[in-house]
Amino acid sequence: MIPAIAVHRLDKRFGATRILRGVDLSIEPHERHALIGPNGAGKSTLFNLIAGAARPSAGRIELYGADITRLVPAAICRRGLARSFQTTSCFAKLSVFDNLRCAAQIANRDRMRWWQRFTNARAADEHAEQVLDAVGLRARRDAIAGTLSYAEQRALDLGLALASGAHTLLLDEPTAGMNRAEAAHAVELIRAATAGRTLLMVEHDMDVVFGLADRVSVLVRGEVIATGTPEAIRADPVVRAAYLGDLGGDLTGNLGGHLDDTDGATRGTTR
Ligand SMILES: Nc1ncnc2c1ncn2[C@@H]1O[C@H](COP(=O)(O)OP(=O)(O)OP(=O)(O)O)[C@@H](O)[C@H]1O
Ligand SMILES: [Mg+2]
């Protein structure tokens, strides 16, 4: 089967520093795949390369068999890959619905012939209404995006990716900064919204990883040291040793899988 995302021998240098070192990664179609690893391992850098926001120093990236290594972000987006950022990417002064409608219109416009564009507006509206339900923001339809809570803004971010019609989603720390209840809700939204799509996400919280991922890859100092089911990864002595080395012996909140904060407390990343 052709992978949804295939990364071959990917290298990224910043000056003399080699941040990614021959990364190989294969994400199956419709798989939910989590990328974990200590701070500074190169996870966001890898996302930047896949989404076209930065160029690799060497290696190759394929989306459903097509070489996207040298494409610009807009071209990769048109091929159905959407990426959410850690900070929200919506128009703060537009309503939730208008944000979604914009994303849907732009996506449709790119795929349509000029004579089809006359029907574009209505199709985009219908699509935006569906996405509104998919990400649980129906009650906030007419709210100005800038007034949403943090968790709602992340839901809108996910909605923008869905409205763009993406079949493959890259989510970078989708639950960072959320409390327990918000994170649990976000996991459910992501699970429902990514059914039938391919998901690659960076996530520090092993509860979230366990709740969502079919497989997990572990990136340590620019190298993938293991790929497997969440259970296999959590039990892998090499992975545990790598985390122990990088986190000074503290597994709490990472591979231990138990965050000891209480409901209502804001969860951070592993800093
Ligand atoms: N534009 C850049 N120029 C120079 N160094 C960079 C640049 N971007 C990232 N780096 C470095 O590359 C390394 C990997 O960074 P990256 O943001 O990919 O890590 P990460 O795994 O996403 O970490 P975190 O878990 O903290 O988000 C870090 O040492 C970072 O300082
Ligand atoms: Mg990062």
Side-chain angles (χ1 to χ4, degrees):
M1 197 192 322
I2 297 174
I5 300 173
V7 169
H8 301 288
R9 311 297 309 152
L10 206 64
D11 258 58
K12 179 64 181 175
R13 293 169 191 271
F14 289 114
T17 316
R18 201 167 162 218
I19 301 296
L20 295 179
R21 303 156 179 264
V23 170
D24 283 315
L25 201 60
S26 183
I27 315 298
E28 304 292 319
H30 301 176
E31 179 184 2
R32 297 188 183 100
H33 198 108
L35 184 66
I36 66 170
N39 293 132
K43 304 179 297 296
S44 295
T45 301
L46 179 57
F47 269 30
N48 282 338
L49 298 185
I50 295 172
R55 292 284 168 91
S57 307
R60 178 182 167 91
I61 305 165
E62 292 173 5
L63 185 64
Y64 282 94
D67 187 352
I68 59 164
T69 318
R70 305 274 153 199
L71 296 186
V72 296
I76 295 172
C77 194
R78 273 198 294 276
R79 285 168 181 261
L81 183 139
R83 181 210 178 154
S84 86
F85 291 88
Q86 243 153 310
T87 51
T88 188
S89 52
C90 62
F91 295 111
K93 290 185 177 167
L94 291 186
S95 73
V96 168
F97 181 73
D98 285 341
N99 266 282
L100 294 173
R101 179 158 59 181
C102 261
Q105 274 182 358
I106 290 167
N108 283 351
R109 191 188 59 199
D110 284 348
R111 292 191 186 96
M112 283 179 172
R113 308 254 180 229
W114 65 268
W115 66 83
Q116 293 175 305
R117 289 185 193 160
F118 296 108
T119 54
N120 178 20
R122 188 190 293 165
D125 280 9
E126 284 169 9
H127 190 198
E129 294 284 1
Q130 287 165 8
V131 172
L132 206 52
D133 290 324
V135 297
L137 287 175
R138 166 66 53 198
R140 306 291 274 147
R141 182 185 186 280
D142 300 315
I144 300 301
T147 68
L148 297 180
S149 74
Y150 177 74
E152 288 171 338
Q153 290 198 11
R154 301 312 302 263
L156 177 54
D157 256 0
L158 179 62
L160 294 177
L162 298 180
S164 79
H167 52 65
T168 302
L169 299 170
L170 305 186
L171 304 182
D172 198 347
E173 302 195 28
T175 72
M178 293 183 187
N179 66 35
R180 273 259 151 265
E182 288 169 337
H185 181 60
V187 166
E188 290 319 311
L189 280 186
I190 293 168
R191 189 202 315 284
T194 56
R197 294 187 164 90
T198 306
L199 171 67
L200 176 60
M201 63 172 179
V202 170
E203 184 55 64
H204 283 289
D205 183 338
M206 284 305 282
D207 287 344
V208 173
V209 170
F210 267 72
L212 273 175
D214 302 310
R215 287 195 305 157
V216 180
S217 288
V218 186
L219 191 72
V220 177
R221 288 187 218 94
E223 286 178 283
V224 175
I225 62 162
T227 294
T229 62
E231 293 77 14
I233 289 296
R234 188 150 74 166
D236 187 329
V238 175
V239 173
R240 296 186 79 92
Y243 263 83
L244 281 166
D246 279 77
L247 296 177
D250 178 15
L251 279 177
T252 311
N254 284 285
L255 295 176
H258 304 290
L259 283 170
D260 51 9
D261 59 355
T262 52
D263 278 350
T266 297
R267 296 151 54 259
T269 57
T270 60
R271 264 162 240 284

